[in-house]
């Protein structure tokens, strides 16, 4: 039986909040234990059951809570720096929702989720089915 893992989410905008809500209590072996945001109105609050910290506290919180998995839902312009901040804090796997490729060290696993491209694939498929 695999042991439980802790995850942290960076970027508590619309997508980040939706993911926090979706994952809350769903996966006992993988739990989002912390969220981070640069917006002063979000840090220091509990959002969808998860405590949100300022980005500057990431290293301390990630180490204290033994976080190994990161979820990146920040704007493209902040994705690279935030991914590196996660890595430097000790995170070794990132699920990247930011619409930009990341340049990361070899020992950081990144899985990118491009929602726009996925939706375009579905739209293309349905257009082709309609024409047949």
């Amino acid at each position: 039986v695999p042991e439980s893992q802790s995850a942290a989410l960076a970027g508590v905008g619309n997508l980040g909040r939706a993911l926090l809500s979706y994952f809350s209590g769903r996966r006992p072996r993988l739990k989002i234990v912390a969220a981070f945001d640069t917006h002063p109105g979000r840090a220091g609050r509990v959002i969808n059951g998860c405590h949100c910290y300022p980005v500057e506290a990431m290293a301390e919180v990630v180490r204290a809570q033994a976080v190994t998995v990161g979820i990146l839902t920040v704007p493209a312009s902040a994705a690279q720096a935030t991914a590196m901040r996660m890595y430097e804090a000790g995170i070794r796997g990132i699920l990247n929702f930011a619409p930009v490729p990341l340049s990361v060290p070899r020992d950081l696993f990144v899985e990118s989720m491009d929602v726009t491209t996925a939706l375009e694939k579905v739209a293309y498929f349905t257009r082709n089915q309609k024409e047949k």
Side-chain angles (χ1 to χ4, degrees), residues 73-114:
T73 56
V74 298
S77 60
Q80 181 66 44
T82 306
M84 291 312 298
R85 187 183 285 262
M86 286 179 152
Y87 176 77
E88 289 161 7
I91 288 173
R92 290 299 176 262
I94 293 176
L95 179 58
N96 176 30
F97 283 93
V100 62
L102 300 174
S103 176
V104 299
R106 287 188 196 270
D107 61 337
L108 176 58
F109 177 81
V110 175
E111 180 73 23
S112 291
M113 301 295 295
D114 187 339

Side-chain angles (χ1 to χ4, degrees), residues 35-46:
F36 300 93
D37 204 284
T38 57
H39 191 281
R42 294 181 186 138
R45 292 183 45 216
V46 173

Side-chain angles (χ1 to χ4, degrees), residues 24-128:
S24 181
R26 266 184 208 260
R27 298 274 186 234
R29 301 235 180 264
L30 183 61
K31 184 174 184 201
I32 301 174
V33 298
F36 300 93
D37 204 284
T38 57
H39 191 281
R42 294 181 186 138
R45 292 183 45 216
V46 173
I47 299 172
N48 292 342
C50 188
H51 190 86
C52 184
Y53 300 89
V55 173
E56 296 76 25
M58 187 180 293
E60 178 185 345
V61 173
V62 163
R63 289 185 186 110
Q65 299 208 32
V67 174
T68 56
V69 175
I71 303 167
L72 202 54
T73 56
V74 298
S77 60
Q80 181 66 44
T82 306
M84 291 312 298
R85 187 183 285 262
M86 286 179 152
Y87 176 77
E88 289 161 7
I91 288 173
R92 290 299 176 262
I94 293 176
L95 179 58
N96 176 30
F97 283 93
V100 62
L102 300 174
S103 176
V104 299
R106 287 188 196 270
D107 61 337
L108 176 58
F109 177 81
V110 175
E111 180 73 23
S112 291
M113 301 295 295
D114 187 339
V115 177
T116 303
T117 299
L119 183 58
E120 287 171 352
K121 285 180 188 176
V122 171
Y124 174 82
F125 176 78
T126 57
R127 271 194 312 274
N128 283 346

